[in-house]
Amino acid sequence: MDWTAQVDGYCERMAPGLWAEPWNAVTNLAFIVAAVIMWRRCRGMPMGQGLAAVLFMIGLGSGLFHTLATRWAGVADVLPILGFVLLYIFAANRDFWRLRVWPALILTVLYIPYTATLAPVFAQVPGIGNSAAYAPLPVLILVYAALLFRRAPELARGLAIGAGLLILSIAARAADGPTCAATAGQGTHFLWHLLNALMLGWMIEVWRRHALQQGQGGAKPVRDH
C-alpha cells in the first residue's frame, strides 16, 4: 500500500494541495480550542486532562488529513478518535459504574466487536455512507444514559445531550457528499468538526461534573459558600 497516496473523500477537495479544503482544515481549530478549555477546567484531574490531551490530538490528526490528504494522514485522523472513545468508555465504566480497573478495561475492549457488529447494520440506512462506523456510539451513550438515570439523573441527562450532539454531527458528516452540488462544492463536513468538537468537550465536562460531585478524579467537590 502506498501510504503517501492522495485521498479525495470530501466535497470541498476539488484539487490536490495543502489548502484545497480551507473550511475543513480551519474548523479543526475547534478541537484545539475545546481541548485547551477542558484542560484548564480539569486542572488536578488526570483523567479529565488525559481526555483533553487526546482531544487536542484529534484536532492535529484531522488537520493533517484535511491538508495533506494522504493515507497515512487518514490514519493519524482516525486513531485519536478511537483513542478518545476507548478512554472515555473506560472512564465511564470506572467512574460512573464504580467498576474496578480490570472489569472496566474488559467492558471497554468490547466496544470494538460491538461497533464491528452494528456498523454494517447502520450501513444499510440510506444516505449514511461511511459515517455508519460512528453510528453505534450515540446508541451506546444513550444506553448508558438510560441505565444511569435512576442512580444519577443529572449525569444521564448530560450523556443524552452528548448523544444528541453526536447524532447531529454524524448527520452533518453523512450529508457532505449528497449536499455537495447544492452547497456549490462546499459540503457539510466542516459542521462535523464544529459539532463534534462541541460534543467531545461537553462529554469531558459531563465526566468532570460527575467526578467533582463524587469526589473522584483527583479533585475535591466544589462546595457552596
Side-chain angles (χ1 to χ4, degrees), residues 81-166:
I81 297 173
L82 178 60
F84 185 96
V85 170
L86 293 177
L87 183 59
Y88 196 95
I89 292 174
F90 171 76
N93 292 336
R94 187 193 68 176
D95 301 329
F96 300 166
W97 295 111
R98 298 294 187 102
L99 297 178
R100 294 184 180 275
V101 171
W102 280 110
L105 280 173
I106 292 169
L107 285 176
T108 299
V109 172
L110 288 177
Y111 175 76
I112 295 175
Y114 161 79
T115 298
T117 301
L118 283 187
V121 176
F122 280 104
Q124 303 305 310
V125 177
I128 196 169
N130 61 7
S131 297
Y134 295 100
L137 185 54
V139 174
L140 182 63
I141 296 172
L142 287 172
V143 168
Y144 271 54
L147 294 175
L148 286 163
F149 185 75
R150 281 183 173 274
R151 178 189 301 183
E154 184 177 347
L155 170 62
R157 283 191 290 268
L159 292 174
I161 291 170
L165 288 171
L166 182 54

Side-chain angles (χ1 to χ4, degrees), residues 32-218:
I32 305 298
V33 171
V36 171
I37 290 172
M38 294 315 302
W39 176 274
R40 292 177 176 175
R41 288 183 63 77
C42 292
R43 186 175 289 111
M45 308 174 78
M47 177 59 76
Q49 291 197 319
L51 288 165
V54 180
L55 178 52
F56 189 91
M57 295 302 296
I58 290 174
L60 293 183
S62 184
L64 284 173
F65 189 42
H66 290 291
T67 52
L68 300 177
T70 59
R71 285 176 177 167
W72 73 261
V75 174
D77 176 29
V78 172
L79 285 183
I81 297 173
L82 178 60
F84 185 96
V85 170
L86 293 177
L87 183 59
Y88 196 95
I89 292 174
F90 171 76
N93 292 336
R94 187 193 68 176
D95 301 329
F96 300 166
W97 295 111
R98 298 294 187 102
L99 297 178
R100 294 184 180 275
V101 171
W102 280 110
L105 280 173
I106 292 169
L107 285 176
T108 299
V109 172
L110 288 177
Y111 175 76
I112 295 175
Y114 161 79
T115 298
T117 301
L118 283 187
V121 176
F122 280 104
Q124 303 305 310
V125 177
I128 196 169
N130 61 7
S131 297
Y134 295 100
L137 185 54
V139 174
L140 182 63
I141 296 172
L142 287 172
V143 168
Y144 271 54
L147 294 175
L148 286 163
F149 185 75
R150 281 183 173 274
R151 178 189 301 183
E154 184 177 347
L155 170 62
R157 283 191 290 268
L159 292 174
I161 291 170
L165 288 171
L166 182 54
I167 290 169
L168 287 176
S169 66
I170 291 172
R173 189 181 192 279
D176 184 61
T179 62
C180 193
T183 57
Q186 172 59 66
T188 57
H189 191 79
F190 74 99
L191 293 175
W192 155 263
H193 292 164
L194 297 176
L195 289 168
N196 217 21
L198 176 63
M199 178 265 178
L200 295 174
W202 169 252
M203 292 298 285
I204 298 175
E205 177 65 17
V206 169
W207 174 88
R208 172 186 169 275
R209 293 180 183 181
H210 180 77
L212 288 173
Q213 289 173 355
Q214 301 299 314
Q216 299 170 339

